[in-house]
Amino acid sequence: MSEQLYLMAHFELNTPDEFAPTFAEHAKASRAKPGCLFFYLIRDRDNSAKFATMECWEDYSYFEQHVADDEHTTFHAKIKQVWKGEPNVMECDLVMGME
């Protein structure tokens, strides 16, 4: 059995209000992809330029398909132009869920 992949990524954007709809579209598209168990997009209440994604994939192969497809490639090219810096990405292990 393959191990699920949990990821958290923190982004700070130069034009957050302009880019937020594009980011939301990417989150919706990601949730519809095979192997995506969840994909959350959250925004900092105190600093609207800061976003984070929390996502889970059935296994690493589904995540690799996600980042290799045309939708993600197009999104990545757009978001890279508005990053304040490289995002902080963390692969995670689930310690406790919503029991």
Side-chain angles (χ1 to χ4, degrees), residues 26-40:
H26 173 64
K28 184 177 181 179
S30 297
R31 285 193 302 271
K33 293 179 183 179
C36 183
L37 300 177
F38 64 76
F39 192 108
Y40 298 117

Side-chain angles (χ1 to χ4, degrees), residues 3-68:
E3 186 176 355
Q4 291 177 342
L5 174 64
Y6 293 86
L7 292 170
M8 291 185 64
H10 296 175
F11 300 83
E12 191 164 2
L13 306 180
N14 289 313
T15 56
D17 291 329
E18 293 171 27
F19 198 78
T22 302
F23 215 160
E25 288 172 18
H26 173 64
K28 184 177 181 179
S30 297
R31 285 193 302 271
K33 293 179 183 179
C36 183
L37 300 177
F38 64 76
F39 192 108
Y40 298 117
L41 173 62
I42 58 176
R43 191 172 189 178
D44 189 299
R45 287 182 180 174
D46 295 326
N47 181 349
S48 64
K50 291 184 178 181
F51 292 82
T53 61
M54 297 184 301
E55 55 195 279
C56 179
W57 299 87
E58 284 184 35
D59 61 42
Y60 208 91
S61 68
Y62 285 107
F63 173 73
E64 288 176 325
Q65 292 171 33
H66 161 65
V67 297

